[in-house]
Amino acid sequence: MKKSEVRVTTTSKTLEQEVDSIYGALTRFYKYRQLDGRNIRILTWMQHFYADGASQKEKDGIERLLALYGYTFRNFAEDNSADFEAFTGNVSAPTTTEPAIYNEDNVAVCKGTVVIPSVD
């Protein structure tokens, strides 16, 4: 039998800080992804508030908050028309009434709404 010696050079404080850091990163990731899934109503509430009654200052705040979590608002365009529910109305050009919300993977997680001109 050979005699071995083990020396611990990492302090308990360092280990605690590393575990806390990893836990914090995983918690943020978990909470972030919950907005796309189980807590999608939070995003839809922000979308409705943004479109229906928010002041410009509130809109800017909502945009900044969503950007922190990798989300963006986008208005209707021909290339993203599949991400909008369309309604016809008395408008001269397509008008976004609620912007769609996209995640950082460029996937629409909340469809937007648009009013398109009526065809007579």
Side-chain angles (χ1 to χ4, degrees):
M1 250 171 124
K2 289 185 180 180
K3 186 176 181 179
S4 296
E5 185 177 312
V6 176
R7 289 188 182 182
V8 178
T9 58
T10 304
T11 66
S12 62
K13 186 68 173 170
T14 303
L15 286 174
E16 179 182 333
Q17 289 171 341
E18 287 183 36
V19 168
D20 285 346
S21 174
I22 293 168
Y23 177 79
L26 290 175
T27 300
R28 282 191 304 277
F29 180 75
Y30 175 75
K31 287 180 181 177
Y32 162 73
R33 281 293 165 216
Q34 289 302 306
L35 288 176
D36 280 13
R38 186 173 64 187
N39 295 323
I40 193 76
R41 288 179 285 182
I42 294 170
L43 289 178
T44 57
W45 180 87
M46 287 185 183
Q47 179 188 40
H48 297 317
F49 181 71
Y50 182 91
D52 292 338
S55 68
Q56 189 58 49
K57 184 177 179 179
E58 291 167 330
K59 286 182 179 186
D60 293 343
I62 291 170
E63 288 177 5
R64 280 193 307 275
L65 177 63
L66 290 181
L68 288 173
Y69 294 97
Y71 296 97
T72 56
F73 284 114
R74 292 202 197 141
N75 288 323
F76 175 82
E78 291 299 321
D79 63 334
N80 67 355
S81 61
D83 299 328
F84 285 80
E85 292 183 39
F87 300 92
T88 58
N90 189 19
V91 293
S92 59
T95 305
T96 301
T97 55
E98 284 188 336
I101 298 178
Y102 288 78
N103 65 16
E104 62 187 8
D105 296 326
N106 202 31
V107 174
V109 294
C110 294
K111 284 191 168 199
T113 56
V114 63
V115 178
I116 57 174
S118 299
V119 179
D120 293 328

